[in-house]
Amino acid sequence: MEIDTYRTVGKIHREIQDEIKKYVNPGTKLIDIAKFVESQIRDRGLNQLNDGIAFPVGLSLNNVAAHYTPNNNSLEVYRAEDILKVDFGVHIEGCIVDGAISITHNPELKNLVDISIKTTELAIQNSGPNKSLSNAESQSLIKSRK
């Protein structure tokens, strides 16, 4: 059943996110991070035509918004003062789960990451069929949680 496939892919994606958070430390080359993410997908047996890496791993450092992938000769390194967005997708038989996480070792930027996570969770909690996140009720809920 397709929904079960999505659940499986979502679980794999979440597991890989957790591994990425452990792996990325100041001084790590971006190309090594990209290869690590790809190997995490393949290590879970997802390396066939019908499953595996959904698209190139995106590693957006600091002010790069999205979709940057280092090449094999890249010398770029994640530093303690940086913020890194890691965007990757996993698929099984075309059922794709795509997501991104932000990583930083900078205490000032850590607050930004935490706020982003909390607002995303709030939006998910208050969303559903026929709901509007822009209505007055939602706005007052958001203000009350500040």
Side-chain angles (χ1 to χ4, degrees):
M1 182 177 203
E2 193 171 278
I3 191 72
D4 292 331
T5 303
Y6 276 110
R7 285 187 179 116
T8 298
V9 179
K11 181 177 180 274
I12 291 167
H13 197 279
R14 170 57 70 188
E15 290 171 357
I16 294 170
Q17 286 180 38
D18 293 341
E19 294 302 318
I20 293 167
K21 290 174 189 175
K22 293 178 207 171
Y23 179 80
V24 175
N25 284 294
T28 308
K29 287 183 181 179
L30 294 190
I31 188 62
D32 292 339
I33 297 168
K35 289 179 179 182
F36 176 80
V37 174
E38 291 172 350
S39 72
Q40 287 293 305
I41 296 168
R42 283 193 296 274
D43 289 351
R44 286 165 171 78
L46 302 177
N47 57 2
Q48 309 296 317
L49 178 62
N50 293 329
D51 55 47
I53 301 166
F55 49 82
V57 176
L59 298 174
S60 303
L61 196 59
N62 299 321
N63 63 338
V64 175
H67 302 169
Y68 173 76
T69 302
N71 65 40
N72 279 328
N73 299 322
S74 175
L75 299 176
E76 293 172 288
V77 172
Y78 168 75
R79 300 168 303 158
E81 61 270 19
D82 293 333
I83 186 166
L84 177 68
K85 288 79 68 185
V86 182
D87 183 2
F88 68 101
V90 180
H91 82 97
I92 296 176
E93 297 177 4
C95 296
I96 299 173
V97 171
D98 171 27
I101 58 172
S102 296
I103 298 171
T104 188
H105 288 79
N106 180 329
E108 290 179 31
L109 295 175
K110 175 109 175 62
N111 192 36
L112 177 65
V113 172
D114 292 342
I115 290 168
S116 177
I117 291 168
K118 287 176 185 173
T119 56
T120 300
E121 289 171 353
L122 180 63
I124 291 168
Q125 289 171 5
N126 293 288
S127 64
N130 300 316
K131 291 223 178 171
S132 172
L133 295 177
S134 63
N135 67 26
E137 180 182 327
S138 296
Q139 292 300 313
S140 66
L141 180 62
I142 290 169
K143 287 178 185 174
S144 71
R145 297 208 179 197
K146 286 184 180 177

